[in-house]
Amino acid sequence: MLTIAEALAPGAPILHEGQPTMGDGDKPEGDSNITSQVLFEGGDIEAGFSEADVIVEGTFETPMVHQGYIEPHACLANAKEDGTVEIWASTQGAFSVKNEVAMITGTDPNLIRVTPTEIGGGFGGKIPVYLEPAAVMLSRKAGRPVKMTMTREEVFRGTGPTSGSRMWVRIGAKADGTFVAAETRLEFESGAFRGSPVGAACMTILTPYVVPNFKIFGLDVVLNKPRVAAYRAPGAPIGAFASESLIDELARKLERDPIDLRLQNAIEEGGRAKYGPPFGPIGFKQTLQAAKNHPHYKAELGANQGRGVAAGFWFNAGLQSSATVSVNDDGSAVVRTGNPDLGGSRASMALMCAEELGIDVTSVRPMVGDTDAVGYCDVTGGSRVTYATGMAVIEATRQVVDHLRARAATIWNVELDSVEWQDG
């Protein structure tokens, strides 16, 4: 079974007999290649479509695509005689490497130290372990450090791409462009084992817009392909491809500017995501307006030229982060976190620390530490690091300021409230 159609066909071979279908909605009876289901609903879907003057629908397919980072997977493992293990790895999460290697090799995690190296691209594909457990076991066998590097062919054969998908979507709108209803069915390939990002696709596919009546249904489907891995806001671009294509079709049918149609239906502060939470301050309308005002959008098109418009939403993974901030004798600072830097996050950490301390950013040295040198941090992924780890840096820096104010108050024998922190 190499396609979703084959995996869902009546009488299809069952990849994992006895594995129940998890999640929401009406589940298949007996064994199935559907490992989980996601369902979000709101309003009255049939009543909503009955109000629509224009309805568009379409079926969309996307293939499995590999992340294509320039640097292939590589690691160095050194299993020592005292039982400790050192690993240097090209990874998006040193602590995930530590915990997964410990589980797979039967090693006490307290004996493992992982140093994340400078990474030549990840995009979600360097979150799981592949080489690291094998390198550790080979190092134990050899009594020497072992280095392993994948060829590009091995990367394609042995590591996780993003899901392929099959999607059906329909959207209804009134003649004035107001969205009234939308329905989706998203089927995602998870590969040989459960775990596609169909849940994230369901969370994001319609969330940029106010749609009072909606039904979003997603399936995680196993088939004979490699187990998938994350790929840049996993699932969200795949779902947006379908919904945004149909919104463009609506704009053509209604003879509306595609940005104007999106502006009319854009969600604002206080509106709820399709999976429940209300939005705080967001800048979706401002972003659309900025795009519309840009000279590129107003430029005349030449022969064989076109112009595309699309919007997307991602919820930012929160997860857990820590940070350590130290102030040196000369007033400069060091900020240490455990998140590998994939896109400039060290600069973000330095900027936030410098702003809180009131010093120049060049006086802050940001560092990514190994798993013995820093507190626990979840992976660098889900667009979470500047947000979540940045908050840890801010809180740690504020604690430094509070401690130094308290020390000054003690030395000067004055009340703490009378001591202010200013300009570093």
Side-chain angles (χ1 to χ4, degrees):
M1 298 179 298
L2 296 177
T3 68
I4 290 173
E6 291 172 345
L8 297 182
I14 302 301
L15 211 57
H16 301 290
E17 292 184 1
Q19 178 174 267
T21 300
M22 303 168 60
D24 311 311
D26 295 331
K27 302 180 181 65
E29 296 181 4
D31 287 342
S32 167
N33 290 318
I34 300 171
T35 66
S36 63
Q37 300 181 166
V38 180
L39 177 63
F40 300 125
E41 293 181 287
D44 184 329
I45 192 71
E46 296 305 325
F49 276 110
S50 70
E51 296 177 21
D53 297 307
V54 179
I55 297 175
V56 294
E57 67 177 276
T59 300
F60 303 83
E61 294 186 7
T62 63
M64 274 192 169
V65 178
H66 202 277
Q67 297 86 348
Y69 29 75
I70 295 174
E71 176 196 34
H73 287 267
C75 70
L76 174 66
N78 184 20
K80 299 181 178 181
E81 291 182 1
D82 63 0
T84 59
V85 176
E86 295 177 319
I87 301 171
W88 292 262
S90 175
T91 178
Q92 293 178 233
F95 286 92
S96 64
V97 170
K98 174 179 178 173
N99 295 333
E100 290 173 22
V101 167
M103 178 184 65
I104 292 168
T105 64
T107 306
D108 182 346
N110 291 324
L111 299 179
I112 299 175
R113 182 175 72 179
V114 179
T115 301
T117 60
E118 292 298 321
I119 187 169
F123 315 106
K126 289 182 179 175
I127 293 175
V129 294
Y130 296 106
L131 295 173
E132 294 86 354
V136 169
M137 298 305 287
L138 288 171
S139 179
R140 281 181 178 161
K141 187 76 172 176
R144 299 287 300 275
V146 169
K147 178 182 178 181
M148 298 180 71
T149 304
M150 281 186 169
T151 65
R152 183 60 60 184
E153 181 179 353
E154 288 169 340
V155 168
F156 286 149
R157 286 179 176 272
T159 69
T162 191
S163 293
S165 73
R166 184 174 69 174
M167 299 173 286
W168 171 82
V169 180
R170 66 170 175 156
I171 302 174
K174 292 183 177 180
D176 66 357
T178 303
F179 296 168
V180 290
E183 184 176 9
T184 78
R185 179 184 171 94
L186 310 179
E187 301 165 349
F188 273 45
E189 300 174 356
S190 65
F193 302 95
R194 70 167 77 238
S196 78
V198 68
C202 290
M203 292 166 68
T204 58
I205 184 169
L206 297 174
T207 288
Y209 306 102
V210 176
V211 185
N213 307 289
F214 62 90
K215 179 179 180 181
I216 303 169
F217 188 50
L219 306 177
D220 181 274
V221 182
V222 290
L223 69 177
N224 296 111
K225 286 185 177 181
R227 166 70 161 79
V228 301
Y231 186 0
R232 284 306 292 131
I238 298 173
F241 164 61
S243 58
E244 294 294 308
S245 296
L246 286 180
I247 291 172
D248 275 355
E249 186 176 335
L250 263 179
R252 289 191 292 271
K253 287 193 172 186
L254 295 169
E255 298 182 343
R256 293 286 302 280
D257 177 276
I259 292 184
D260 283 341
L261 183 61
R262 288 169 169 85
L263 273 167
Q264 178 180 343
N265 294 282
I267 199 145
E268 298 183 87
E269 181 176 356
R272 286 190 175 273
K274 300 302 179 284
Y275 54 95
F279 281 115
I282 53 175
F284 184 33
K285 282 195 169 182
Q286 293 91 325
T287 302
L288 289 169
Q289 194 62 58
K292 186 177 180 181
N293 294 339
H294 197 279
H296 287 332
Y297 195 69
K298 301 173 182 177
E300 292 291 330
L301 295 175
N304 299 318
Q305 288 184 326
R307 180 181 289 116
V309 173
F313 164 73
W314 183 248
F315 43 82
N316 289 60
L319 306 179
Q320 302 174 80
S321 289
S322 68
T324 302
V325 175
S326 306
V327 175
N328 300 317
D329 288 348
D330 63 355
S332 62
V334 178
V335 55
R336 296 178 180 85
T337 69
N339 282 113
D341 185 352
L342 271 67
S345 60
R346 277 175 294 196
S348 300
M349 302 305 114
L351 285 163
M352 284 182 262
C353 180
E355 183 175 320
E356 289 294 325
L357 288 177
I359 62 178
D360 191 271
V361 68
T362 57
S363 296
V364 179
R365 183 184 177 202
M367 299 177 62
V368 178
D370 63 61
T371 54
D372 281 0
V374 296
Y376 181 85
C377 285
D378 275 309
V379 298
T380 298
S383 303
R384 71 170 211 90
V385 173
T386 299
Y387 174 68
T389 307
M391 286 301 300
V393 169
I394 291 169
E395 291 298 324
T397 310
R398 289 174 179 174
Q399 288 181 26
V400 168
V401 171
D402 289 343
H403 286 313
L404 290 172
R405 287 177 58 236
R407 180 173 297 184
T410 300
I411 293 171
W412 295 332
N413 194 28
V414 298
E415 294 293 327
L416 176 60
D417 291 344
S418 67
V419 180
E420 293 182 358
W421 182 271
Q422 241 178 10
D423 300 327

